[in-house]
Amino acid sequence: AAAALLLGCCGAALASGVQDQAEQFFRSGHTNNWAVLVCTSRFWFNYRHVANTLSVYRSVKRLGIPDSHIVLMLADDMACNPRNPKPATVFSHKNMELNVYGDDVEVDYRSYEVTVENFLRVLTGRIPPSTPRSKRLLSDDRSNILIYMTGHGGNGFLKFQDSEEITNVELADAFEQMWQKRRYNELLFIIDTCQGASMYERFYSPNIMALASSQVGEDSLSHQPDLGIGVHLMDRYTFYVLEFLEEIHPASQTNMNDLFQVCPKSLCVSTPGHRTDLFQRDPQNVLITDFFGSVRKVEITTETISLDRDLAGFESKLPKDELATEPLKYADQLPVAQIIHQKPKQKDWHPPGGFILGLWALIIMVFFKTYGIKHMKHIF
């Protein structure tokens, strides 16, 4: 009897330990992750804003969020811009080693599709029935959503396409609609723009954590100038956030408090800010991967499920062409930490267009000085 009692206690303790582990694993309460990444700027001199957005896109894909759960909005196509000396690429570092465009980028809203109206419709789900699935945010009340925005802004607004702007009140009301319609469990809002902290001042919906690259009255400064491309490649805040995310892996235990410290004023020049009063959990208990990573859709059940024994040999019966192959991975590239300390490669020299034009002008001048106008009739 004593042995049976001891065995029962051990079994109960083991079951309790398994339950504690399961509760610890699901402590965030979400079952799926989504990301809405928005670049609101057009024109070549805003190259860095596209690179900002693609850098975050690259990081969330690496950490497990699939393209089907990412809504990517780019106001301009820098990879195909005629001024781009390296077509089909967008670089985030001046050594031109880290191509954040990659070979599998799926842009959902591009060019003039990136508007305030379309952005708000994506958030609130009020879109036409004909809209394809890839342009929808199909989240629910157990979704953790990352919303990243970058562009030119001011006190209480962010410009779209240099023709319209979204205000902090409109953004706050959109988040409230999302909460009322049960479209998110927790939401992380990150913005890299001048006076970015003004964009989260009016938030009033629960379970929102917000980060900004600068305080009210401060500019968000650019970083990484490149002479070959002719523009700055990134903004300071996003550059250091990207460098931080390169050290994160899907099983990482790094929390949000670490993200708050990635870009102090000594590096960013501006003063990054964050707001956590609307968030129910302590940021110290919130993992980075709760928003930048992805979780499987699983549910805890106490029921016993019997598996069919015939399924054991099913895999061996499959033809070779139907067997699972190794999943495709994002383009392997060096970590940012290694790229920073590398010397730039020697670039191929190409004569500028003005050089060729000047050479032809010199040839014509020498010809006229030698033969004069009277000999032109022998040529034509």
Side-chain angles (χ1 to χ4, degrees):
L5 180 61
L6 180 61
L7 183 61
C9 292
C10 293
L14 181 61
S16 177
V18 172
Q19 184 176 1
D20 291 341
Q21 291 180 1
E23 291 179 354
Q24 178 74 7
F25 183 78
F26 290 101
R27 62 185 178 273
S28 67
H30 74 289
T31 59
N32 57 92
N33 288 79
W34 289 80
V36 180
L37 313 177
V38 187
C39 165
T40 65
S41 299
R42 289 184 63 82
F43 310 119
W44 176 251
F45 52 82
N46 291 319
Y47 181 103
R48 65 188 185 278
H49 295 153
V50 175
N52 289 346
T53 310
L54 289 174
S55 297
V56 179
Y57 172 82
R58 173 182 179 272
S59 294
V60 297
K61 283 192 65 175
R62 182 180 62 83
L63 292 174
I65 300 182
D67 269 313
S68 59
H69 283 209
I70 301 175
V71 179
L72 181 60
M73 308 178 76
L74 298 181
D76 207 343
D77 192 358
M78 298 304 175
C80 298
N81 193 295
R83 293 187 182 183
N84 192 344
K86 300 281 187 179
T89 60
V90 175
F91 294 101
S92 64
H93 195 272
K94 60 184 179 183
N95 290 349
M96 291 198 293
E97 292 285 349
L98 187 61
N99 174 24
V100 293
Y101 196 76
D103 56 0
D104 59 348
V105 173
E106 294 185 14
V107 184
D108 301 302
Y109 292 81
R110 65 175 68 246
S111 188
Y112 291 108
E113 292 180 328
V114 182
T115 63
V116 174
E117 178 183 355
N118 284 342
F119 173 63
L120 294 179
R121 286 184 179 276
V122 167
L123 296 184
T124 59
R126 304 171 68 177
I127 54 180
S130 59
T131 303
R133 182 184 179 91
S134 62
K135 293 189 174 186
R136 297 171 181 260
L137 179 64
L138 301 175
S139 57
D140 53 38
D141 61 341
R142 303 192 69 178
S143 302
N144 276 13
I145 303 178
L146 166 67
I147 297 179
Y148 173 86
M149 303 184 74
T150 182
H152 291 291
N155 189 356
F157 69 90
L158 176 68
K159 292 198 298 184
F160 273 67
Q161 309 266 12
D162 281 342
S163 59
E164 57 179 348
E165 63 271 338
I166 185 173
T167 66
N168 52 8
V169 176
E170 293 171 330
L171 190 60
D173 290 343
F175 288 164
E176 176 62 18
Q177 287 189 49
M178 294 178 68
W179 175 254
Q180 294 292 341
K181 298 172 72 173
R182 301 171 64 86
R183 289 180 60 80
Y184 73 87
N185 172 59
E186 293 174 337
L187 191 149
L188 175 62
F189 175 75
I190 302 178
I191 186 166
D192 192 346
T193 186
C194 298
Q195 308 190 59
S198 65
M199 292 301 293
Y200 60 63
E201 288 180 340
R202 299 297 185 94
F203 291 174
Y204 56 92
S205 305
N207 281 4
I208 296 180
M209 185 185 302
L211 293 87
S213 61
S214 57
Q215 297 292 335
V216 177
E218 293 183 341
D219 293 332
S220 182
L221 302 182
S222 56
H223 194 44
Q224 298 292 317
D226 187 275
L227 298 179
I229 297 179
V231 291
H232 286 80
L233 302 187
M234 289 193 74
D235 283 321
R236 285 179 174 270
Y237 181 75
T238 302
F239 176 82
Y240 289 107
V241 168
L242 171 65
E243 189 177 28
F244 170 78
L245 292 177
E246 286 293 313
E247 304 298 327
I248 305 298
H249 53 84
S252 176
Q253 297 298 307
T254 309
N255 60 59
M256 294 301 300
N257 278 342
D258 298 320
L259 180 61
F260 295 160
Q261 310 299 325
V262 297
C263 192
K265 190 171 183 178
S266 58
L267 295 177
C268 277
V269 183
S270 61
T271 308
H274 59 271
R275 182 179 176 185
T276 59
D277 59 297
L278 298 172
F279 205 75
Q280 295 182 359
R281 293 195 290 155
D282 185 348
Q284 187 175 355
N285 299 326
V286 181
L287 300 180
I288 295 295
T289 51
D290 283 351
F291 292 99
F292 288 90
S294 183
V295 297
R296 301 285 185 180
K297 288 187 175 182
V298 295
E299 298 285 346
I300 299 177
T301 179
T302 57
E303 300 178 0
T304 302
I305 300 176
S306 299
L307 299 178
D308 189 354
R309 294 182 178 179
D310 295 335
L311 294 177
F314 177 74
E315 183 176 354
S316 60
K317 297 179 182 179
L318 289 175
K320 294 183 179 181
D321 56 345
E322 294 185 12
L323 292 177
T325 57
E326 184 179 355
L328 296 176
K329 298 180 180 179
Y330 201 82
D332 294 331
Q333 299 178 21
L334 293 175
V336 175
Q338 296 182 19
I339 294 173
I340 292 177
H341 302 292
Q342 286 187 349
K343 295 181 180 180
K345 291 184 177 180
Q346 295 293 332
K347 301 176 183 178
D348 297 332
W349 183 84
H350 298 283
F355 176 81
I356 303 298
L357 184 62
L359 182 61
W360 275 107
L362 180 61
I363 293 174
I364 293 173
M365 289 176 59
V366 171
F367 176 82
F368 280 116
K369 187 174 181 180
T370 305
Y371 299 101
I373 301 294
K374 60 182 179 180
H375 294 284
M376 291 292 291
K377 62 182 179 180
H378 301 292
I379 299 177
F380 299 101

